[in-house]
Amino acid sequence: MRAPAIIPAAGVGHRMKSSVRKQFLTLLDRPLLDYSIEAVDSCKMIEKVILVVCEDDLAFCRDRYLKKRRLSTPVEILPGGKDRQESVYLGLRHLQSLDEAPQWIVIHDGARPLVTNKIIKEVLKAAYKSMAAIAAVPVSDTMKIVKEDKLWTDKTLDREKVWAAQTPQAFSFPLLLEAHKQAEKNGFKGTDDASLLERLGHSVCIVEGEDENIKITRPVDLKLAELILSSRKGAL
Ligand code: C5P
């Protein structure tokens, strides 16, 4: 059984403090986005890719960026929304509008270039069994809820029960679409897709992810990603 994948890559990346949009920053001589697209493309369980990019990058991606890449999976490009949730929802609605809407869906952030083919497969297989699955890792730091002013701690979470959610995340397509519809209707914003299901009482299964599958958010993440990639290539 195969599934399409949505890659949300329409973020502006303010926290990178760079004039170049995050997905096109250079990571070991190549645009950061190459890595997530290629990891998804190399996964035989993925039948097509819906790449969601900023309106301003649409023509560049369609006419230049994708043409230069030799991908084996068909890729469609869509303009994104004002936040991640909206970008994913636009991808889901596009898929639903096709003659044959998919049964399953994989979501993987363009900002996680170090994802492996193995974890994409494991998460999708777990979703086939449980309807909803995510990659997540246990946290090593002690996690605090802070006061609204962000100057004072409020309380400490039980570290044993706190895991950091990553992407890939995979779901039954109708289930995720419904969760997005409900979230939009109720004005709920979540920072990942699983949270939209959790609020409706659905269980989401965890596949232990990989610590190296970091999200590029701040400049230090890019340095770390370069080190990890170099060590994978045996250059360190
Ligand atoms: O910044 P954040 O952690 O929300 O970004 C996660 C992913 O969502 C990134 O790959 C980013 O490009 C994407 N995103 C998007 N549309 C937005 C904002 C973020 O596709 N409007």
Side-chain angles (χ1 to χ4, degrees):
M1 225 171 353
R2 301 174 82 210
I6 296 175
I7 301 185
V12 183
H14 288 304
R15 288 171 289 183
M16 282 306 291
K17 300 187 167 66
S18 162
S19 56
V20 179
R21 262 194 279 282
K22 183 164 74 179
Q23 38 282 13
F24 298 109
L25 284 171
T26 302
L27 175 55
L28 285 194
D29 305 327
R30 302 180 59 198
L32 198 143
L33 185 59
D34 279 17
Y35 297 89
S36 339
I37 294 189
E38 284 178 12
V40 173
D41 179 58
S42 72
C43 180
K44 299 275 176 288
M45 292 170 81
I46 301 298
E47 61 184 357
K48 79 166 135 185
V49 173
I50 307 295
L51 177 63
V52 188
V53 299
C54 282
E55 185 94 52
D56 292 350
D57 292 333
L58 205 58
F60 165 74
C61 283
R62 197 183 39 221
D63 304 335
R64 291 175 46 208
Y65 177 75
L66 275 183
K67 283 198 176 143
K68 285 195 189 151
R69 273 139 194 100
R70 278 193 223 108
L71 301 171
S72 47
T73 319
V75 182
E76 285 184 68
I77 307 184
L78 295 182
K82 60 178 180 305
D83 54 36
R84 181 190 183 280
Q85 186 172 316
E86 228 181 86
S87 294
V88 173
Y89 192 29
L90 286 163
L92 294 173
R93 286 192 350 227
H94 170 72
L95 285 165
Q96 196 209 11
S97 72
L98 303 178
D99 286 344
E100 214 176 315
Q103 281 180 275
W104 302 96
I105 185 72
V106 172
I107 315 286
H108 180 65
D109 286 346
R112 286 191 193 267
L114 302 178
V115 67
T116 59
N117 185 315
K118 175 173 168 277
I119 204 78
I120 300 171
K121 279 196 261 184
E122 283 176 10
V123 170
L124 186 51
K125 282 186 189 162
Y128 290 157
K129 289 194 194 136
S130 64
M131 307 293 276
I134 65 169
V137 288
V139 298
S140 0
D141 291 323
T142 298
M143 307 298 277
K144 306 278 183 192
I145 303 283
V146 297
K147 302 264 195 208
E148 224 165 290
D149 61 10
K150 297 184 181 159
L151 294 174
W152 304 92
T153 68
D154 188 3
K155 56 181 174 222
T156 302
L157 300 175
D158 176 358
R159 194 167 62 187
E160 291 304 307
K161 292 188 185 165
V162 180
W163 285 49
Q166 302 179 335
T167 63
Q169 303 196 346
F171 308 92
S172 143
F173 180 82
L175 193 67
L176 185 63
L177 182 64
E178 183 55 29
H180 270 266
K181 278 186 189 159
Q182 292 293 330
E184 190 195 37
K185 195 168 132 199
N186 300 313
F188 175 82
K189 287 288 176 193
T191 45
D192 75 348
D193 296 281
S195 58
L196 309 192
L197 264 78
E198 289 154 8
R199 66 182 282 275
L200 300 179
H202 290 287
S203 305
V204 175
C205 155
I206 286 178
V207 171
E208 185 155 356
E210 293 161 344
D211 290 326
E212 290 189 354
N213 181 21
I214 57 171
K215 185 165 66 139
I216 309 299
T217 306
R218 298 184 175 85
V220 67
D221 301 321
L222 204 57
K223 289 186 193 158
L224 198 54
E226 283 193 342
L227 283 173
I228 296 169
L229 273 174
S230 302
S231 75
R232 283 186 187 172
K233 288 184 174 173
L236 284 183

